[in-house]
Amino acid sequence: MEFFVQLIITGTVIGSIYALLALGFTLIYKATDVVNFAQGELLMVGAYICLHLTVSYSVPFWASFLITLVFSFTMGFFIEKVFLRRMIGEPIISIIMLTIGLSSVMKAIVQIFWGTDTRTYPQVFSQEPFLIAGLSISRVYIYSIAAVAVFLILFSIFFKKSKVGVAMRAVASDQQAALSMGIDVKRIFALSWGIAAVVSAVGGIFLGNINGINTTLSHFGLKVFPVVILGGLDSIVGAIVGGLIIGILENLAGGYIDPLIGGGAKEIFPYVVMIAVLMIKPYGLFGTKAVEKV
Amino acid sequence: MSYVNCGNFKTSYEKDAELFQTKLSRFLIYAFITALFAVPFFLGDYLLYVMNLIFIAVIGAVGLNILTGFTGLISLGQGAFMGVGAYAAGYLSVTYGLPFFLAIPAAGLITAVFGAFFGIPSLRLKGLYLSIATLAAQFIIEFGFIRLEFITGGVTGLSIDYASFLGYEIDSDFSFYFLALVLCIIMTLAGVNMMRTRAGRAFLSIRDNYIAAEAMGINLFRYKLTSFAISSFYAGVAGSLWAYYTSIITPENFTIGVSIQYLSMIIIGGLGSILGSIFGAVFIVILPEVLQSFSDWAGGYYPNLTQIIGSIKEGVFGLVIILFLMFEPEGMVRRWRLIKAYWKLWPFSY
């Protein structure tokens, strides 16, 4: 039982990071119709920048966290402006390949600057675990779940209340109508990339605090697909729910199936789930069904 | 001297579908193939190695282009399918002692069955969703390579004997060159011809507008699966060639990265063009080799360079894809057509 609960907790932590990544992915997909294969690299770059500031320039953690968010926003903003802007209206394979190209460029840049060794964050959160109902839970887990929750709440307020947030939702639901209402669609496109980079960077920083970082962090970007397919590609609620479900399922598979077959189930299980979802309910739990007209 | 009209004056479908439009182009193709058979006698081992890689890549790229370029179904699983071919050939030749000229087609067929199976989602899914489904196929098959140890040998890999033909062992770059070249020519020719058949035209119509295609009596189910099967057959042949070339088959040669490489070949070469697949394969195979020799040369001046060359290769690879997509989205084959059109009218270009 205790083993089960531990798996659920780890799953929730990882799942909340998936949820952040998927949130970024969904934002970009909703607003700009771009499928982002470089989401994991956005996460990785964020994690490395924060680590570099904290370790090499001894910036306090909270400050480097904020600087990283600003940096990530700018990076996402300009990626859209420079690369994706030209691709509007191109076939889907070109857009997929462009983001794949971006991902290998970003990975290469990170490797050239920081090498491929695993690096660990300095002790930011105290080592002493929380004791909740007889279970010891590592402090960083609690903090990352809390931070993710705070970010998700902040974003839902942002989308409901702020002018820019409402404009983004308008663009997502109908580009033409938004354009005719005087919304600067181009700016919204760039903004959604910026925000997507920010949420990914938050995920990356917490992930780095849990496991340390190396360039395999970018594999997280591919895990985002099962999440968004399960949740529905264009649903923000779906991204969050899907992230948690996939995170927990993955850990349960790792805990119970891995010992039987000798490892690897954890990596593969999300994709098996995804295939099943694609066959049964291709638009996911909360996605809108695409209607095709001749 | 044969000439071409500077316009399209063909009066029958047969004329329009001819493989060689003029005697000159027929002659040039024959000359090129003869030259390909002659060059290995003048090349060193390293260049032969690069050429062999190119032949294998051309087969794989033509296969992927049939699926993605002609039929419009995006696949991120080409690497895994090549792996299926390699392991199938390896298993057949190790366990049943099949000679290579039986093992390679058999591996192709096995891969075709695999491909058709993983193509089944394509009946419901399109575009983005399909590419994600093939991504899952890639990971699941990769997992199979590692876990199904009684077939694949797991992470340590499966070692197979070199191909041998009439008692002559094909174990050097030089002898393998001819095997790869012959297979490459056969497969490319088959690809070009396939596009002139009913199936080929059906593929194109599915790509351009699948609803219209269905309305005109094209069985989507059948032709989409056919396309997957044919494309996987090519991947299987390329994979089994790779197996005979390296004589050891390990899972890390068939990762998602390989799938991406093949996609980039057809993007850079030109989607929906056999010639484009060839250009793309040549380009993507040569690119890292050029970077490597540059680093070997510059490494004397900047010792750090040799440590990061792997990363530089990956970065340049990504950059090349991005630049092509931004500035030449139709690929190298468009440049080639422009050059040809220029010489057609030369020196009276107006």
Side-chain angles (χ1 to χ4, degrees):
Chain A
M1 187 61 199
E2 192 178 329
F3 181 57
F4 178 76
V5 176
Q6 284 288 2
L7 286 177
I8 297 273
I9 291 167
T10 328
T12 315
V13 175
I14 299 296
S16 58
I17 289 164
Y18 285 161
L20 275 178
L21 262 185
L23 179 70
F25 181 92
T26 309
L27 267 177
I28 291 177
Y29 182 75
K30 241 178 118 121
T32 69
D33 269 341
V34 167
V35 185
N36 187 11
F37 272 74
Q39 199 71 39
E41 276 71 14
L42 293 177
L43 172 144
M44 181 178 72
V45 170
Y48 269 99
I49 297 280
C50 185
L51 179 91
H52 191 68
L53 288 172
T54 323
V55 174
S56 305
Y57 299 116
S58 354
V59 181
F61 178 72
W62 61 268
S64 53
F65 184 78
L66 290 179
I67 297 172
T68 308
L69 296 195
V70 174
F71 175 86
S72 289
F73 183 83
T74 325
M75 180 177 72
F77 195 84
F78 281 103
I79 285 179
E80 200 280 337
K81 268 205 181 308
V82 175
F83 300 107
L84 274 304
R85 186 63 54 82
R86 286 166 163 275
M87 303 304 291
I88 294 175
E90 295 280 335
I92 186 155
I93 180 166
S94 307
I95 294 174
I96 290 180
M97 283 310 285
L98 187 94
T99 57
I100 288 177
L102 277 176
S103 76
S104 53
V105 170
M106 280 198 269
K107 207 190 284 174
I109 290 174
V110 166
Q111 280 175 4
I112 289 168
F113 276 109
W114 290 291
T116 48
D117 301 334
T118 303
R119 286 155 178 260
T120 48
Y121 272 84
Q123 197 64 47
V124 178
F125 305 107
S126 113
Q127 199 67 277
E128 188 193 338
F130 277 120
L131 280 171
I132 301 174
L135 283 167
S136 62
I137 301 167
S138 143
R139 224 163 249 263
V140 62
Y141 281 14
I142 302 285
Y143 286 127
S144 46
I145 292 182
V148 169
V150 166
F151 264 89
L152 293 179
I153 292 167
L154 276 181
F155 274 107
S156 44
I157 295 172
F158 171 76
F159 284 117
K160 288 257 153 61
K161 303 285 178 196
S162 79
K163 209 172 171 183
V164 182
V166 174
M168 287 180 81
R169 276 166 51 213
V171 171
S173 79
D174 191 336
Q175 250 176 52
Q176 299 255 313
L179 207 56
S180 60
M181 297 305 285
I183 292 170
D184 187 351
V185 173
K186 284 181 186 167
R187 198 170 125 249
I188 298 294
F189 278 17
L191 269 181
S192 57
W193 268 85
I195 294 177
V198 167
V199 284
S200 309
V202 173
I205 291 168
F206 278 100
L207 205 59
N209 271 302
I210 296 172
N211 287 336
I213 54 178
N214 55 27
T215 39
T216 56
L217 216 55
S218 60
H219 291 316
F220 262 78
L222 297 175
K223 280 279 172 63
V224 86
F225 291 105
V227 173
V228 292
I229 290 291
L230 176 64
L233 266 181
D234 53 356
S235 157
I236 293 198
V237 184
I240 297 161
V241 176
L244 291 174
I245 294 178
I246 292 285
I248 292 172
L249 278 181
E250 178 191 85
N251 265 277
L252 288 179
Y256 290 108
I257 305 178
D258 265 355
L260 300 180
I261 60 167
K266 194 176 169 184
E267 278 68 41
I268 209 71
F269 196 69
Y271 296 103
V272 178
V273 172
M274 180 172 89
I275 291 260
V277 174
L278 276 175
M279 297 307 282
I280 300 162
K281 205 169 167 21
Y283 298 103
L285 296 174
F286 301 98
T288 34
K289 206 169 167 166
V291 180
E292 261 183 87
K293 293 175 194 145
V294 183
Chain B
M1 194 65 189
S2 66
Y3 65 91
V4 195
N5 293 321
C6 56
N8 199 349
F9 296 114
K10 296 181 185 98
T11 47
S12 67
Y13 287 121
E14 286 75 32
K15 265 258 180 308
D16 195 39
E18 255 178 5
L19 205 51
F20 301 112
Q21 300 283 353
T22 62
K23 279 182 190 152
L24 178 67
S25 69
R26 181 194 303 255
F27 169 76
L28 285 178
I29 293 284
Y30 285 154
F32 181 65
I33 290 175
T34 318
L36 278 180
F37 275 105
V39 283
F41 296 99
F42 308 101
L43 294 181
D45 270 352
Y46 173 66
L47 285 178
L48 281 174
Y49 158 77
V50 175
M51 290 296 276
N52 289 338
L53 290 188
I54 288 176
F55 292 139
I56 295 173
V58 165
I59 297 176
V62 168
L64 186 62
N65 219 339
I66 289 174
L67 183 66
T68 303
F70 288 103
T71 324
L73 305 168
I74 305 168
S75 166
L76 279 163
Q78 190 77 352
F81 291 138
M82 284 182 69
V84 172
Y87 280 112
Y91 189 71
L92 289 174
S93 81
V94 169
T95 318
Y96 300 105
L98 239 58
F100 78 94
F101 48 84
L102 294 178
I104 290 180
L109 288 177
I110 291 171
T111 318
V113 172
F114 254 80
F117 175 74
F118 281 101
I120 292 174
S122 73
L123 307 169
R124 265 195 92 170
L125 309 172
K126 281 181 293 291
L128 160 67
Y129 285 91
L130 180 66
S131 61
I132 295 177
T134 54
L135 182 76
Q138 163 81 36
F139 284 121
I140 292 170
I141 296 176
E142 249 181 70
F143 175 75
F145 292 157
I146 297 173
R147 285 290 144 216
L148 297 175
E149 278 173 29
F150 57 99
I151 297 176
T152 65
V155 279
T156 48
L158 181 68
S159 55
I160 70 172
D161 293 332
Y162 288 110
S164 65
F165 187 61
L166 302 176
Y168 180 77
E169 196 157 74
I170 304 176
D171 57 352
S172 65
D173 289 322
F174 178 76
S175 49
F176 188 84
Y177 180 95
F178 294 99
L179 172 64
L181 175 61
V182 169
L183 266 176
C184 183
I185 291 174
I186 293 173
M187 299 300 275
T188 312
L189 209 58
V192 174
N193 276 311
M194 206 175 320
M195 287 310 125
R196 307 192 302 152
T197 62
R198 180 185 157 83
R201 291 191 298 272
F203 292 164
L204 289 178
S205 65
I206 292 174
R207 176 191 69 185
D208 290 341
N209 190 333
Y210 76 101
I211 297 175
E214 199 173 18
M216 292 180 74
I218 287 166
N219 186 344
L220 289 186
F221 180 77
R222 199 169 115 204
Y223 281 106
K224 276 185 177 176
L225 285 196
T226 312
S227 182
F228 259 101
I230 292 172
S231 155
S232 311
F233 182 85
Y234 276 80
V237 170
S240 49
L241 258 185
W242 173 262
Y244 278 114
Y245 190 37
T246 55
S247 90
I248 176 129
I249 315 165
T250 47
E252 73 262 17
N253 289 318
F254 309 107
T255 55
I256 175 79
V258 177
S259 300
I260 290 174
Q261 256 184 11
Y262 277 91
L263 267 181
S264 68
M265 284 175 197
I266 63 172
I267 287 274
I268 286 172
L271 281 174
S273 157
I274 300 283
L275 187 64
S277 332
I278 298 173
F279 284 151
V282 172
F283 187 86
I284 291 292
V285 171
I286 287 182
L287 182 68
E289 303 296 335
V290 169
L291 289 175
Q292 184 66 52
S293 43
F294 172 76
S295 114
D296 291 345
W297 170 78
Y301 308 98
Y302 305 99
N304 288 336
L305 195 64
T306 43
Q307 289 164 16
I308 54 170
I309 185 66
S311 314
I312 291 181
K313 275 182 200 169
E314 186 170 5
V316 170
F317 170 72
L319 205 61
V320 164
I321 298 176
I322 294 174
L323 292 178
F324 260 95
L325 283 170
M326 284 169 67
F327 299 110
E328 189 70 285
E330 283 166 61
M332 292 162 92
V333 77
R334 177 166 168 270
R335 263 309 121 184
W336 170 256
R337 284 195 194 118
L338 289 179
I339 291 169
K340 252 188 13 192
Y342 176 80
W343 285 109
K344 234 182 212 174
L345 299 175
W346 188 84
F348 308 108
S349 50
Y350 295 104

